Amino acid sequence: MRCIGQGLESLKTFCAVMSLPNPVEQKSYDVINNKLSRVMKEVPEESMKRAAVEENSSSPDNLLTVSGDDTWKTRGHSSLIGVCTVIGAETGKVLDREVLSSFCKGCDSYKGVKFGIKYNKWQRAHKISCRKNYSGSAGKMEVDGMLKIFNRSEKLHNLKYSNYIGDGDTKTFNALSENKPYGDDHLIQKIECVGHVQKRMGTRLRKLKLVYSKKKLSDGKTIGGKGRLTDSLIDKLALYYGNAIRCNSTSVKEMRKAIWAV
């Protein structure tokens, strides 16, 4: 039931409807949940440690190239929960993650007045299990999450994330550059993700198609339609554009030539 966001009361209802025996009592249910919670924390941490060792096997100087990105619980920029991850470029495995939450069910469930001796006592007791660890906008979660991950990489894995493969959003990289998690002697370098560059090409073409959808061009026709700039053609152009970059990564001249050929 926990997998679908339901608790003990929902489990009792389900058992009653299905004519099944009553489930465990609240105390036993909490014990089971605590064990699951502990295991669910220990297993990924151990997995990330092994992934870091494997990733570092190809970089004996403890300098890694990683990619980082963020995802939110809900779409848009109003989500209360976000997850930042750092992935090794060689293995494709997660090396670290940071969960940011600006919401806590326990805090939200507190119905008393939020001041005074009683509230302060409750707050001290609740602080241990409080899920809220972030205050700010959803859009800034990626920046703050990545800063935390990079700042603890040496302590956690004895590694430095020297090259950062970004998604085109400069806010995160700018924050890392200003923060300098590894000091002035070791600045982080940014590597553009070709996949995101390719994606931006498709986005720009679709925007162009939308802007000129009702306008006649010099030949008297609109930009879209059969034999014109269709969604299918845009997908192909974006794919060829990305391949032109990937196949000529060692020569700017050849890359430019291949891109113009597209």
Side-chain angles (χ1 to χ4, degrees), residues 137-156:
S137 65
K140 197 171 177 289
M141 282 183 175
E142 181 175 354
V143 176
D144 290 4
M146 286 300 169
L147 284 174
K148 288 184 177 182
I149 290 174
F150 273 72
N151 280 320
R152 68 181 178 222
S153 69
E154 289 185 285
K155 182 179 179 180
L156 185 65

Side-chain angles (χ1 to χ4, degrees), residues 68-71 82-86 94 96-100 140-147 149 152:
D69 207 353
D70 183 64
T71 186
V83 182
C84 297
T85 53
V86 161
V94 176
D96 198 2
R97 54 87 184 93
E98 179 69 24
V99 180
L100 298 170
K140 197 171 177 289
M141 282 183 175
E142 181 175 354
V143 176
D144 290 4
M146 286 300 169
L147 284 174
I149 290 174
R152 68 181 178 222

Side-chain angles (χ1 to χ4, degrees), residues 144-188:
D144 290 4
M146 286 300 169
L147 284 174
K148 288 184 177 182
I149 290 174
F150 273 72
N151 280 320
R152 68 181 178 222
S153 69
E154 289 185 285
K155 182 179 179 180
L156 185 65
H157 297 310
N158 193 29
L159 298 171
K160 293 178 180 178
Y161 304 145
S162 59
N163 296 312
Y164 176 70
I165 303 174
D167 59 0
D169 185 359
T170 59
K171 293 194 294 290
T172 301
F173 179 69
N174 288 343
L176 290 171
S177 299
E178 292 174 7
N179 186 261
K180 298 178 182 178
Y182 309 126
D184 294 328
D185 297 332
H186 194 94
L187 301 179
I188 299 169

Side-chain angles (χ1 to χ4, degrees), residues 106-114 122:
C107 295
D108 188 61
S109 300
Y110 184 81
K111 301 302 181 183
V113 292
K114 296 186 177 181
W122 174 86

Side-chain angles (χ1 to χ4, degrees), residues 127-144:
K127 189 176 181 180
I128 302 171
S129 58
C130 184
R131 299 298 181 184
K132 184 176 180 179
N133 62 356
Y134 175 78
S135 296
S137 65
K140 197 171 177 289
M141 282 183 175
E142 181 175 354
V143 176
D144 290 4

Side-chain angles (χ1 to χ4, degrees), residues 188-201:
I188 299 169
Q189 303 297 318
K190 185 181 181 183
I191 301 175
E192 284 291 344
C193 173
V194 178
H196 282 87
V197 173
Q198 175 181 319
K199 181 181 176 182
R200 288 202 296 272
M201 165 63 86

Side-chain angles (χ1 to χ4, degrees), residues 69-89:
D69 207 353
D70 183 64
T71 186
W72 291 268
K73 183 181 178 182
T74 56
R75 299 186 68 178
H77 294 285
S78 59
S79 180
L80 300 176
I81 299 174
V83 182
C84 297
T85 53
V86 161
I87 301 171

